[in-house]
PDB file of all heavy atoms in Angstrom:
ATOM      1  N   LEU A 975     116.057  37.141  66.819  1.00 98.00           N
ATOM      2  CA  LEU A 975     116.488  38.311  67.590  1.00 98.00           C
ATOM      3  C   LEU A 975     116.092  39.612  66.907  1.00 98.00           C
ATOM      4  O   LEU A 975     115.936  40.634  67.575  1.00 98.00           O
ATOM      5  CB  LEU A 975     118.014  38.277  67.768  1.00 98.00           C
ATOM      6  CG  LEU A 975     118.570  37.132  68.623  1.00 98.00           C
ATOM      7  CD1 LEU A 975     120.091  37.088  68.530  1.00 98.00           C
ATOM      8  CD2 LEU A 975     118.134  37.287  70.079  1.00 98.00           C
ATOM      9  N   GLU A 979     116.110  41.459  59.974  1.00 98.00           N
ATOM     10  CA  GLU A 979     117.169  40.556  59.489  1.00 98.00           C
ATOM     11  C   GLU A 979     116.617  39.166  59.197  1.00 98.00           C
ATOM     12  O   GLU A 979     117.026  38.514  58.231  1.00 98.00           O
ATOM     13  CB  GLU A 979     118.289  40.450  60.537  1.00 98.00           C
ATOM     14  CG  GLU A 979     119.114  41.722  60.686  1.00 98.00           C
ATOM     15  CD  GLU A 979     120.254  41.548  61.695  1.00 98.00           C
ATOM     16  OE1 GLU A 979     120.327  40.483  62.346  1.00 98.00           O
ATOM     17  OE2 GLU A 979     121.055  42.485  61.832  1.00 98.00           O
ATOM     18  N   GLU A1018     109.758  37.642  67.264  1.00 98.00           N
ATOM     19  CA  GLU A1018     110.959  38.287  67.796  1.00 98.00           C
ATOM     20  C   GLU A1018     111.030  38.047  69.301  1.00 98.00           C
ATOM     21  O   GLU A1018     110.033  38.200  70.005  1.00 98.00           O
ATOM     22  CB  GLU A1018     110.939  39.787  67.474  1.00 98.00           C
ATOM     23  CG  GLU A1018     112.296  40.429  67.628  1.00 98.00           C
ATOM     24  CD  GLU A1018     112.356  41.840  67.060  1.00 98.00           C
ATOM     25  OE1 GLU A1018     112.351  41.981  65.821  1.00 98.00           O
ATOM     26  OE2 GLU A1018     112.389  42.786  67.863  1.00 98.00           O
ATOM     27  N   ALA A1019     112.209  37.658  69.785  1.00 98.00           N
ATOM     28  CA  ALA A1019     112.373  37.301  71.205  1.00 98.00           C
ATOM     29  C   ALA A1019     113.837  37.453  71.598  1.00 98.00           C
ATOM     30  O   ALA A1019     114.706  37.671  70.758  1.00 98.00           O
ATOM     31  CB  ALA A1019     111.916  35.866  71.444  1.00 98.00           C
ATOM     32  N   ASP A1020     114.102  37.332  72.906  1.00 97.00           N
ATOM     33  CA  ASP A1020     115.450  37.478  73.453  1.00 97.00           C
ATOM     34  C   ASP A1020     116.328  36.253  73.240  1.00 97.00           C
ATOM     35  O   ASP A1020     117.538  36.313  73.431  1.00 97.00           O
ATOM     36  CB  ASP A1020     115.360  37.699  74.972  1.00 97.00           C
ATOM     37  CG  ASP A1020     115.432  39.161  75.326  1.00 97.00           C
ATOM     38  OD1 ASP A1020     115.899  39.950  74.473  1.00 97.00           O
ATOM     39  OD2 ASP A1020     115.028  39.523  76.441  1.00 97.00           O
ATOM     40  N   GLU A1021     115.694  35.119  72.959  1.00 97.00           N
ATOM     41  CA  GLU A1021     116.440  33.862  72.889  1.00 97.00           C
ATOM     42  C   GLU A1021     116.001  33.101  71.644  1.00 97.00           C
ATOM     43  O   GLU A1021     114.852  32.686  71.549  1.00 97.00           O
ATOM     44  CB  GLU A1021     116.119  33.045  74.151  1.00 97.00           C
ATOM     45  CG  GLU A1021     116.877  31.761  74.259  1.00 97.00           C
ATOM     46  CD  GLU A1021     116.453  30.952  75.501  1.00 97.00           C
ATOM     47  OE1 GLU A1021     116.032  31.563  76.503  1.00 97.00           O
ATOM     48  OE2 GLU A1021     116.535  29.731  75.433  1.00 97.00           O
ATOM     49  N   PRO A1022     116.888  32.926  70.661  1.00 98.00           N
ATOM     50  CA  PRO A1022     116.505  32.182  69.448  1.00 98.00           C
ATOM     51  C   PRO A1022     116.152  30.729  69.773  1.00 98.00           C
ATOM     52  O   PRO A1022     116.437  30.240  70.855  1.00 98.00           O
ATOM     53  CB  PRO A1022     117.762  32.260  68.576  1.00 98.00           C
ATOM     54  CG  PRO A1022     118.550  33.397  69.121  1.00 98.00           C
ATOM     55  CD  PRO A1022     118.246  33.453  70.591  1.00 98.00           C
ATOM     56  N   GLU A1164     119.768  12.563  70.534  1.00 96.00           N
ATOM     57  CA  GLU A1164     119.878  12.576  71.995  1.00 96.00           C
ATOM     58  C   GLU A1164     120.877  13.647  72.440  1.00 96.00           C
ATOM     59  O   GLU A1164     121.971  13.769  71.890  1.00 96.00           O
ATOM     60  CB  GLU A1164     120.347  11.188  72.460  1.00 96.00           C
ATOM     61  CG  GLU A1164     120.300  10.962  73.947  1.00 96.00           C
ATOM     62  CD  GLU A1164     118.885  10.765  74.498  1.00 96.00           C
ATOM     63  OE1 GLU A1164     117.983  10.362  73.747  1.00 96.00           O
ATOM     64  OE2 GLU A1164     118.705  11.034  75.703  1.00 96.00           O
ATOM     65  N   GLU A1167     120.470  18.611  77.037  1.00 95.00           N
ATOM     66  CA  GLU A1167     119.697  19.843  77.233  1.00 95.00           C
ATOM     67  C   GLU A1167     118.351  19.738  76.509  1.00 95.00           C
ATOM     68  O   GLU A1167     118.303  19.421  75.329  1.00 95.00           O
ATOM     69  CB  GLU A1167     120.481  21.058  76.713  1.00 95.00           C
ATOM     70  CG  GLU A1167     119.893  22.359  77.216  1.00 95.00           C
ATOM     71  CD  GLU A1167     120.781  23.560  76.916  1.00 95.00           C
ATOM     72  OE1 GLU A1167     121.922  23.379  76.470  1.00 95.00           O
ATOM     73  OE2 GLU A1167     120.315  24.682  77.129  1.00 95.00           O
ATOM     74  N   ASP A1195     127.156  36.552  51.807  1.00 95.00           N
ATOM     75  CA  ASP A1195     128.026  36.442  52.984  1.00 95.00           C
ATOM     76  C   ASP A1195     127.260  35.883  54.192  1.00 95.00           C
ATOM     77  O   ASP A1195     127.400  36.359  55.320  1.00 95.00           O
ATOM     78  CB  ASP A1195     128.637  37.815  53.320  1.00 95.00           C
ATOM     79  CG  ASP A1195     129.951  37.682  54.071  1.00 95.00           C
ATOM     80  OD1 ASP A1195     130.494  36.566  54.113  1.00 95.00           O
ATOM     81  OD2 ASP A1195     130.404  38.696  54.645  1.00 95.00           O
ATOM     82  N   SER A1197     126.226  33.087  57.050  1.00 97.00           N
ATOM     83  CA  SER A1197     126.964  32.149  57.890  1.00 97.00           C
ATOM     84  C   SER A1197     126.717  30.715  57.429  1.00 97.00           C
ATOM     85  O   SER A1197     125.622  30.176  57.571  1.00 97.00           O
ATOM     86  CB  SER A1197     126.512  32.323  59.343  1.00 97.00           C
ATOM     87  OG  SER A1197     127.133  31.377  60.179  1.00 97.00           O
ATOM     88  N   LEU A1198     127.774  30.110  56.871  1.00 97.00           N
ATOM     89  CA  LEU A1198     127.681  28.736  56.359  1.00 97.00           C
ATOM     90  C   LEU A1198     128.010  27.750  57.474  1.00 97.00           C
ATOM     91  O   LEU A1198     128.913  27.989  58.268  1.00 97.00           O
ATOM     92  CB  LEU A1198     128.679  28.544  55.207  1.00 97.00           C
ATOM     93  CG  LEU A1198     128.776  27.121  54.631  1.00 97.00           C
ATOM     94  CD1 LEU A1198     127.515  26.747  53.863  1.00 97.00           C
ATOM     95  CD2 LEU A1198     130.006  26.992  53.736  1.00 97.00           C
ATOM     96  N   PHE A1216     123.112  29.305  58.658  1.00 98.00           N
ATOM     97  CA  PHE A1216     122.441  29.845  59.837  1.00 98.00           C
ATOM     98  C   PHE A1216     121.658  31.108  59.493  1.00 98.00           C
ATOM     99  O   PHE A1216     122.105  31.920  58.677  1.00 98.00           O
ATOM    100  CB  PHE A1216     123.462  30.183  60.919  1.00 98.00           C
ATOM    101  CG  PHE A1216     124.180  28.977  61.473  1.00 98.00           C
ATOM    102  CD1 PHE A1216     125.440  28.632  61.006  1.00 98.00           C
ATOM    103  CD2 PHE A1216     123.595  28.185  62.449  1.00 98.00           C
ATOM    104  CE1 PHE A1216     126.106  27.525  61.512  1.00 98.00           C
ATOM    105  CE2 PHE A1216     124.254  27.081  62.961  1.00 98.00           C
ATOM    106  CZ  PHE A1216     125.512  26.746  62.497  1.00 98.00           C
ATOM    107  N   PRO A1218     120.171  34.874  60.734  1.00 98.00           N
ATOM    108  CA  PRO A1218     120.939  35.925  61.427  1.00 98.00           C
ATOM    109  C   PRO A1218     120.810  35.888  62.956  1.00 98.00           C
ATOM    110  O   PRO A1218     121.496  36.635  63.641  1.00 98.00           O
ATOM    111  CB  PRO A1218     120.344  37.222  60.863  1.00 98.00           C
ATOM    112  CG  PRO A1218     119.721  36.833  59.574  1.00 98.00           C
ATOM    113  CD  PRO A1218     119.200  35.454  59.786  1.00 98.00           C
ATOM    114  N   SER A1219     119.952  35.013  63.496  1.00 98.00           N
ATOM    115  CA  SER A1219     119.852  34.816  64.943  1.00 98.00           C
ATOM    116  C   SER A1219     120.513  33.516  65.378  1.00 98.00           C
ATOM    117  O   SER A1219     120.408  33.135  66.543  1.00 98.00           O
ATOM    118  CB  SER A1219     118.381  34.785  65.363  1.00 98.00           C
ATOM    119  OG  SER A1219     117.708  35.937  64.905  1.00 98.00           O
ATOM    120  N   GLY A1220     121.127  32.801  64.440  1.00 98.00           N
ATOM    121  CA  GLY A1220     121.845  31.579  64.788  1.00 98.00           C
ATOM    122  C   GLY A1220     121.025  30.304  64.712  1.00 98.00           C
ATOM    123  O   GLY A1220     121.531  29.233  65.038  1.00 98.00           O
ATOM    124  N   ASP A1259     132.249  18.489  64.693  1.00 88.00           N
ATOM    125  CA  ASP A1259     131.823  18.877  66.025  1.00 88.00           C
ATOM    126  C   ASP A1259     130.789  20.002  65.990  1.00 88.00           C
ATOM    127  O   ASP A1259     129.802  19.982  66.728  1.00 88.00           O
ATOM    128  CB  ASP A1259     133.048  19.301  66.844  1.00 88.00           C
ATOM    129  CG  ASP A1259     132.716  19.394  68.328  1.00 88.00           C
ATOM    130  OD1 ASP A1259     132.093  18.449  68.838  1.00 88.00           O
ATOM    131  OD2 ASP A1259     133.046  20.415  68.944  1.00 88.00           O
ATOM    132  N   ARG A1260     131.004  20.993  65.104  1.00 91.00           N
ATOM    133  CA  ARG A1260     130.056  22.112  65.067  1.00 91.00           C
ATOM    134  C   ARG A1260     128.674  21.639  64.645  1.00 91.00           C
ATOM    135  O   ARG A1260     127.665  22.027  65.230  1.00 91.00           O
ATOM    136  CB  ARG A1260     130.553  23.200  64.106  1.00 91.00           C
ATOM    137  CG  ARG A1260     129.586  24.387  64.071  1.00 91.00           C
ATOM    138  CD  ARG A1260     130.169  25.582  63.369  1.00 91.00           C
ATOM    139  NE  ARG A1260     130.328  25.343  61.945  1.00 91.00           N
ATOM    140  CZ  ARG A1260     131.195  25.975  61.186  1.00 91.00           C
ATOM    141  NH1 ARG A1260     132.032  26.854  61.695  1.00 91.00           N
ATOM    142  NH2 ARG A1260     131.274  25.715  59.896  1.00 91.00           N
ATOM    143  N   THR A1263     126.946  19.893  67.639  1.00 92.00           N
ATOM    144  CA  THR A1263     126.782  20.516  68.964  1.00 92.00           C
ATOM    145  C   THR A1263     126.239  21.937  68.948  1.00 92.00           C
ATOM    146  O   THR A1263     125.861  22.437  69.995  1.00 92.00           O
ATOM    147  CB  THR A1263     128.122  20.541  69.726  1.00 92.00           C
ATOM    148  OG1 THR A1263     129.069  21.284  68.958  1.00 92.00           O
ATOM    149  CG2 THR A1263     128.661  19.136  69.947  1.00 92.00           C
ATOM    150  N   VAL A1264     126.212  22.606  67.812  1.00 95.00           N
ATOM    151  CA  VAL A1264     125.733  23.989  67.780  1.00 95.00           C
ATOM    152  C   VAL A1264     124.217  23.979  67.617  1.00 95.00           C
ATOM    153  O   VAL A1264     123.692  23.498  66.617  1.00 95.00           O
ATOM    154  CB  VAL A1264     126.427  24.781  66.660  1.00 95.00           C
ATOM    155  CG1 VAL A1264     125.732  26.117  66.422  1.00 95.00           C
ATOM    156  CG2 VAL A1264     127.888  25.008  67.006  1.00 95.00           C
ATOM    157  N   LEU A1265     123.514  24.511  68.623  1.00 96.00           N
ATOM    158  CA  LEU A1265     122.048  24.434  68.693  1.00 96.00           C
ATOM    159  C   LEU A1265     121.478  25.758  69.160  1.00 96.00           C
ATOM    160  O   LEU A1265     122.165  26.573  69.764  1.00 96.00           O
ATOM    161  CB  LEU A1265     121.651  23.354  69.714  1.00 96.00           C
ATOM    162  CG  LEU A1265     122.261  21.959  69.544  1.00 96.00           C
ATOM    163  CD1 LEU A1265     122.001  21.135  70.783  1.00 96.00           C
ATOM    164  CD2 LEU A1265     121.722  21.274  68.302  1.00 96.00           C
TER     165      LEU A1265
ATOM    166  N   ARG B 801     138.380  35.751  59.111  1.00 93.00           N
ATOM    167  CA  ARG B 801     138.950  36.315  57.877  1.00 93.00           C
ATOM    168  C   ARG B 801     140.469  36.330  57.907  1.00 93.00           C
ATOM    169  O   ARG B 801     141.121  36.284  56.877  1.00 93.00           O
ATOM    170  CB  ARG B 801     138.444  37.751  57.674  1.00 93.00           C
ATOM    171  CG  ARG B 801     136.957  37.860  57.483  1.00 93.00           C
ATOM    172  CD  ARG B 801     136.560  37.490  56.072  1.00 93.00           C
ATOM    173  NE  ARG B 801     135.123  37.300  55.991  1.00 93.00           N
ATOM    174  CZ  ARG B 801     134.286  38.121  55.362  1.00 93.00           C
ATOM    175  NH1 ARG B 801     134.738  39.177  54.742  1.00 93.00           N
ATOM    176  NH2 ARG B 801     132.999  37.877  55.350  1.00 93.00           N
ATOM    177  N   ILE B 809     134.100  28.745  66.836  1.00 97.00           N
ATOM    178  CA  ILE B 809     133.079  29.255  65.916  1.00 97.00           C
ATOM    179  C   ILE B 809     131.821  28.395  65.997  1.00 97.00           C
ATOM    180  O   ILE B 809     131.892  27.169  65.870  1.00 97.00           O
ATOM    181  CB  ILE B 809     133.621  29.245  64.468  1.00 97.00           C
ATOM    182  CG1 ILE B 809     134.854  30.148  64.361  1.00 97.00           C
ATOM    183  CG2 ILE B 809     132.538  29.693  63.489  1.00 97.00           C
ATOM    184  CD1 ILE B 809     135.699  29.867  63.126  1.00 97.00           C
ATOM    185  N   GLY B 810     130.674  29.059  66.176  1.00 97.00           N
ATOM    186  CA  GLY B 810     129.395  28.351  66.170  1.00 97.00           C
ATOM    187  C   GLY B 810     128.511  28.878  65.060  1.00 97.00           C
ATOM    188  O   GLY B 810     128.864  28.810  63.883  1.00 97.00           O
ATOM    189  N   CYS B 811     127.372  29.475  65.454  1.00 97.00           N
ATOM    190  CA  CYS B 811     126.362  29.885  64.457  1.00 97.00           C
ATOM    191  C   CYS B 811     126.667  31.239  63.827  1.00 97.00           C
ATOM    192  O   CYS B 811     126.109  31.581  62.801  1.00 97.00           O
ATOM    193  CB  CYS B 811     124.989  29.922  65.119  1.00 97.00           C
ATOM    194  SG  CYS B 811     124.778  31.269  66.335  1.00 97.00           S
ATOM    195  N   ARG B 812     127.482  32.050  64.467  1.00 97.00           N
ATOM    196  CA  ARG B 812     127.812  33.411  64.021  1.00 97.00           C
ATOM    197  C   ARG B 812     126.607  34.361  64.066  1.00 97.00           C
ATOM    198  O   ARG B 812     126.617  35.405  63.422  1.00 97.00           O
ATOM    199  CB  ARG B 812     128.405  33.442  62.610  1.00 97.00           C
ATOM    200  CG  ARG B 812     129.617  32.537  62.378  1.00 97.00           C
ATOM    201  CD  ARG B 812     130.133  32.727  60.965  1.00 97.00           C
ATOM    202  NE  ARG B 812     131.124  31.744  60.574  1.00 97.00           N
ATOM    203  CZ  ARG B 812     130.841  30.565  60.027  1.00 97.00           C
ATOM    204  NH1 ARG B 812     129.580  30.219  59.835  1.00 97.00           N
ATOM    205  NH2 ARG B 812     131.808  29.751  59.678  1.00 97.00           N
ATOM    206  N   GLY B 813     125.548  33.994  64.814  1.00 98.00           N
ATOM    207  CA  GLY B 813     124.347  34.830  64.822  1.00 98.00           C
ATOM    208  C   GLY B 813     123.836  35.182  66.207  1.00 98.00           C
ATOM    209  O   GLY B 813     122.710  35.656  66.342  1.00 98.00           O
ATOM    210  N   GLY B 815     123.163  33.091  68.658  1.00 97.00           N
ATOM    211  CA  GLY B 815     122.175  32.136  69.132  1.00 97.00           C
ATOM    212  C   GLY B 815     122.709  30.989  69.959  1.00 97.00           C
ATOM    213  O   GLY B 815     122.074  30.559  70.919  1.00 97.00           O
ATOM    214  N   CYS B 816     123.886  30.453  69.585  1.00 97.00           N
ATOM    215  CA  CYS B 816     124.299  29.153  70.156  1.00 97.00           C
ATOM    216  C   CYS B 816     125.220  29.279  71.359  1.00 97.00           C
ATOM    217  O   CYS B 816     125.342  28.342  72.133  1.00 97.00           O
ATOM    218  CB  CYS B 816     124.973  28.293  69.087  1.00 97.00           C
ATOM    219  SG  CYS B 816     126.651  28.813  68.665  1.00 97.00           S
ATOM    220  N   VAL B 818     128.545  29.439  71.534  1.00 97.00           N
ATOM    221  CA  VAL B 818     129.869  28.810  71.428  1.00 97.00           C
ATOM    222  C   VAL B 818     131.009  29.835  71.517  1.00 97.00           C
ATOM    223  O   VAL B 818     132.065  29.559  72.077  1.00 97.00           O
ATOM    224  CB  VAL B 818     129.966  27.988  70.125  1.00 97.00           C
ATOM    225  CG1 VAL B 818     131.401  27.611  69.800  1.00 97.00           C
ATOM    226  CG2 VAL B 818     129.115  26.726  70.249  1.00 97.00           C
ATOM    227  N   LYS B 831     125.298  43.952  69.088  1.00 97.00           N
ATOM    228  CA  LYS B 831     123.954  43.634  68.618  1.00 97.00           C
ATOM    229  C   LYS B 831     123.319  42.689  69.630  1.00 97.00           C
ATOM    230  O   LYS B 831     124.008  42.104  70.462  1.00 97.00           O
ATOM    231  CB  LYS B 831     124.014  42.972  67.231  1.00 97.00           C
ATOM    232  CG  LYS B 831     124.338  43.956  66.116  1.00 97.00           C
ATOM    233  CD  LYS B 831     124.502  43.248  64.788  1.00 97.00           C
ATOM    234  CE  LYS B 831     123.167  42.791  64.219  1.00 97.00           C
ATOM    235  NZ  LYS B 831     123.333  42.228  62.845  1.00 97.00           N
ATOM    236  N   ARG B 832     121.995  42.532  69.510  1.00 97.00           N
ATOM    237  CA  ARG B 832     121.267  41.660  70.429  1.00 97.00           C
ATOM    238  C   ARG B 832     121.821  40.234  70.370  1.00 97.00           C
ATOM    239  O   ARG B 832     122.134  39.735  69.282  1.00 97.00           O
ATOM    240  CB  ARG B 832     119.806  41.660  69.996  1.00 97.00           C
ATOM    241  CG  ARG B 832     118.841  41.101  70.993  1.00 97.00           C
ATOM    242  CD  ARG B 832     117.430  41.273  70.445  1.00 97.00           C
ATOM    243  NE  ARG B 832     116.442  41.001  71.455  1.00 97.00           N
ATOM    244  CZ  ARG B 832     115.129  41.065  71.231  1.00 97.00           C
ATOM    245  NH1 ARG B 832     114.672  41.404  70.037  1.00 97.00           N
ATOM    246  NH2 ARG B 832     114.262  40.810  72.188  1.00 97.00           N
ATOM    247  N   MET B 833     121.952  39.606  71.529  1.00 97.00           N
ATOM    248  CA  MET B 833     122.433  38.219  71.582  1.00 97.00           C
ATOM    249  C   MET B 833     121.559  37.415  72.541  1.00 97.00           C
ATOM    250  O   MET B 833     120.869  37.981  73.369  1.00 97.00           O
ATOM    251  CB  MET B 833     123.901  38.170  71.981  1.00 97.00           C
ATOM    252  CG  MET B 833     124.260  38.910  73.240  1.00 97.00           C
ATOM    253  SD  MET B 833     126.054  39.113  73.448  1.00 97.00           S
ATOM    254  CE  MET B 833     126.354  40.667  72.584  1.00 97.00           C
ATOM    255  N   SER B 834     121.596  36.084  72.409  1.00 97.00           N
ATOM    256  CA  SER B 834     120.660  35.237  73.150  1.00 97.00           C
ATOM    257  C   SER B 834     120.839  35.385  74.655  1.00 97.00           C
ATOM    258  O   SER B 834     121.928  35.184  75.189  1.00 97.00           O
ATOM    259  CB  SER B 834     120.861  33.771  72.759  1.00 97.00           C
ATOM    260  OG  SER B 834     119.998  32.959  73.537  1.00 97.00           O
ATOM    261  N   ARG B 835     119.719  35.664  75.341  1.00 97.00           N
ATOM    262  CA  ARG B 835     119.723  35.730  76.809  1.00 97.00           C
ATOM    263  C   ARG B 835     119.970  34.352  77.436  1.00 97.00           C
ATOM    264  O   ARG B 835     120.268  34.256  78.625  1.00 97.00           O
ATOM    265  CB  ARG B 835     118.391  36.296  77.305  1.00 97.00           C
ATOM    266  CG  ARG B 835     118.347  37.804  77.325  1.00 97.00           C
ATOM    267  CD  ARG B 835     119.044  38.376  78.563  1.00 97.00           C
ATOM    268  NE  ARG B 835     119.110  39.825  78.478  1.00 97.00           N
ATOM    269  CZ  ARG B 835     120.228  40.525  78.273  1.00 97.00           C
ATOM    270  NH1 ARG B 835     121.385  39.912  78.135  1.00 97.00           N
ATOM    271  NH2 ARG B 835     120.197  41.833  78.213  1.00 97.00           N
ATOM    272  N   ALA B 836     119.815  33.305  76.650  1.00 96.00           N
ATOM    273  CA  ALA B 836     120.122  31.968  77.168  1.00 96.00           C
ATOM    274  C   ALA B 836     121.617  31.831  77.439  1.00 96.00           C
ATOM    275  O   ALA B 836     122.029  30.985  78.226  1.00 96.00           O
ATOM    276  CB  ALA B 836     119.675  30.903  76.170  1.00 96.00           C
ATOM    277  N   ARG B 852     128.674  38.979  67.935  1.00 98.00           N
ATOM    278  CA  ARG B 852     127.692  40.064  67.998  1.00 98.00           C
ATOM    279  C   ARG B 852     128.320  41.393  68.395  1.00 98.00           C
ATOM    280  O   ARG B 852     127.591  42.362  68.615  1.00 98.00           O
ATOM    281  CB  ARG B 852     126.573  39.726  68.985  1.00 98.00           C
ATOM    282  CG  ARG B 852     125.836  38.453  68.647  1.00 98.00           C
ATOM    283  CD  ARG B 852     125.125  38.510  67.326  1.00 98.00           C
ATOM    284  NE  ARG B 852     123.798  39.093  67.426  1.00 98.00           N
ATOM    285  CZ  ARG B 852     122.966  39.187  66.395  1.00 98.00           C
ATOM    286  NH1 ARG B 852     123.327  38.742  65.202  1.00 98.00           N
ATOM    287  NH2 ARG B 852     121.789  39.732  66.540  1.00 98.00           N
ATOM    288  N   ALA B 869     126.947  22.766  77.936  1.00 65.00           N
ATOM    289  CA  ALA B 869     125.877  21.952  78.516  1.00 65.00           C
ATOM    290  C   ALA B 869     125.188  21.118  77.450  1.00 65.00           C
ATOM    291  O   ALA B 869     124.623  20.079  77.741  1.00 65.00           O
ATOM    292  CB  ALA B 869     124.851  22.851  79.190  1.00 65.00           C
ATOM    293  N   THR B 870     125.236  21.587  76.210  1.00 46.00           N
ATOM    294  CA  THR B 870     124.509  20.895  75.151  1.00 46.00           C
ATOM    295  C   THR B 870     125.351  19.826  74.483  1.00 46.00           C
ATOM    296  O   THR B 870     124.867  19.095  73.648  1.00 46.00           O
ATOM    297  CB  THR B 870     124.054  21.878  74.062  1.00 46.00           C
ATOM    298  OG1 THR B 870     125.215  22.432  73.456  1.00 46.00           O
ATOM    299  CG2 THR B 870     123.198  22.960  74.636  1.00 46.00           C
ATOM    300  N   ARG B 871     126.609  19.756  74.835  1.00 45.00           N
ATOM    301  CA  ARG B 871     127.462  18.795  74.133  1.00 45.00           C
ATOM    302  C   ARG B 871     127.147  17.383  74.570  1.00 45.00           C
ATOM    303  O   ARG B 871     127.000  17.103  75.743  1.00 45.00           O
ATOM    304  CB  ARG B 871     128.940  19.110  74.391  1.00 45.00           C
ATOM    305  CG  ARG B 871     129.445  20.123  73.395  1.00 45.00           C
ATOM    306  CD  ARG B 871     130.789  20.673  73.821  1.00 45.00           C
ATOM    307  NE  ARG B 871     130.938  21.995  73.220  1.00 45.00           N
ATOM    308  CZ  ARG B 871     131.715  22.230  72.173  1.00 45.00           C
ATOM    309  NH1 ARG B 871     132.414  21.272  71.630  1.00 45.00           N
ATOM    310  NH2 ARG B 871     131.787  23.435  71.667  1.00 45.00           N
ATOM    311  N   GLN B 872     127.086  16.496  73.606  1.00 41.00           N
ATOM    312  CA  GLN B 872     126.853  15.088  73.916  1.00 41.00           C
ATOM    313  C   GLN B 872     128.103  14.503  74.507  1.00 41.00           C
ATOM    314  O   GLN B 872     129.202  14.808  74.069  1.00 41.00           O
ATOM    315  CB  GLN B 872     126.561  14.320  72.629  1.00 41.00           C
ATOM    316  CG  GLN B 872     125.128  14.387  72.195  1.00 41.00           C
ATOM    317  CD  GLN B 872     124.954  13.510  70.984  1.00 41.00           C
ATOM    318  OE1 GLN B 872     125.304  13.887  69.887  1.00 41.00           O
ATOM    319  NE2 GLN B 872     124.449  12.322  71.196  1.00 41.00           N
ATOM    320  N   LYS B 874     130.722  11.816  74.555  1.00 35.00           N
ATOM    321  CA  LYS B 874     131.101  10.933  73.446  1.00 35.00           C
ATOM    322  C   LYS B 874     131.851   9.724  73.966  1.00 35.00           C
ATOM    323  O   LYS B 874     132.559   9.822  74.927  1.00 35.00           O
ATOM    324  CB  LYS B 874     131.982  11.698  72.478  1.00 35.00           C
ATOM    325  CG  LYS B 874     131.174  12.773  71.787  1.00 35.00           C
ATOM    326  CD  LYS B 874     131.771  13.102  70.435  1.00 35.00           C
ATOM    327  CE  LYS B 874     130.957  14.195  69.757  1.00 35.00           C
ATOM    328  NZ  LYS B 874     131.611  15.461  69.855  1.00 35.00           N
TER     329      LYS B 874
END
Side-chain angles (χ1 to χ4, degrees):
Chain A
L975 294 171
E979 290 183 354
E1018 197 169 287
D1020 263 341
E1021 183 183 331
E1164 189 74 24
E1167 195 170 351
D1195 205 13
S1197 176
L1198 176 70
F1216 295 98
S1219 306
D1259 194 47
R1260 181 168 68 205
T1263 59
V1264 168
L1265 307 168
Chain B
R801 297 281 167 110
I809 299 162
C811 70
R812 306 183 190 88
C816 75
V818 166
K831 286 175 74 174
R832 194 176 191 181
M833 53 193 89
S834 177
R835 275 280 174 251
R852 302 297 274 183
T870 64
R871 273 167 205 256
Q872 276 184 282
K874 292 206 181 102

